[in-house]
C-alpha cells in the first residue's frame, strides 16, 4: 500500500513539474525576454517529463493489474 501511494505522489510530482516547465516560459515572455531556443527547450523538457510520468503511471497500473490477476511474468 505504501509503495502505491509513493508512486502516485511521484507521478503527480512529475506531471506538475512537466506542466510548469511547459507553460512557464510562455507566461513569462510577456514580462521578460526569453530567447526562442530556451522557450522551446523548456517546453520540450516539460512535455517529456509529463509523458514520462504518464508512462510510469500506466506501467504501474498494468503491473498492479497483473499482480491482481496472477498473470505477472518474471
Amino acid at each position: 500500500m505504501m509503495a502505491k501511494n509513493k508512486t502516485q505522489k511521484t507521478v503527480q510530482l512529475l506531471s506538475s513539474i512537466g506542466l510548469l516547465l511547459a507553460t512557464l516560459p510562455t507566461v513569462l515572455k510577456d514580462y521578460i525576454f526569453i530567447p526562442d531556443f530556451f522557450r522551446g527547450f523548456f517546453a520540450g523538457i516539460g512535455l517529456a517529463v509529463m509523458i514520462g510520468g504518464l508512462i510510469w503511471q500506466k506501467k504501474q497500473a498494468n503491473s498492479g493489474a497483473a499482480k491482481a490477476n496472477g498473470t505477472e511474468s518474471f
Side-chain angles (χ1 to χ4, degrees):
M1 186 75 165
M2 183 70 154
K4 186 175 183 180
N5 192 18
K6 185 177 179 183
T7 301
Q8 288 176 344
K9 286 185 180 182
T10 304
V11 169
Q12 288 176 349
L13 183 65
L14 284 174
S15 297
S16 299
I17 290 172
L19 185 61
L20 184 66
L21 284 173
T23 58
L24 193 62
T26 305
V27 172
L28 288 179
K29 77 176 182 174
D30 293 334
Y31 303 106
I32 60 173
F33 174 73
I34 300 174
D36 288 340
F37 172 79
F38 291 112
R39 280 195 291 163
F41 179 76
F42 285 122
I45 294 294
L47 289 173
V49 169
M50 284 180 9
I51 290 171
L54 291 173
I55 290 172
W56 192 357
Q57 181 181 18
K58 186 72 171 173
K59 183 188 273 189
Q60 293 298 322
N62 287 342
S63 173
K67 287 180 183 177
N69 292 334
T71 60
E72 184 177 12
S73 63
F74 295 101

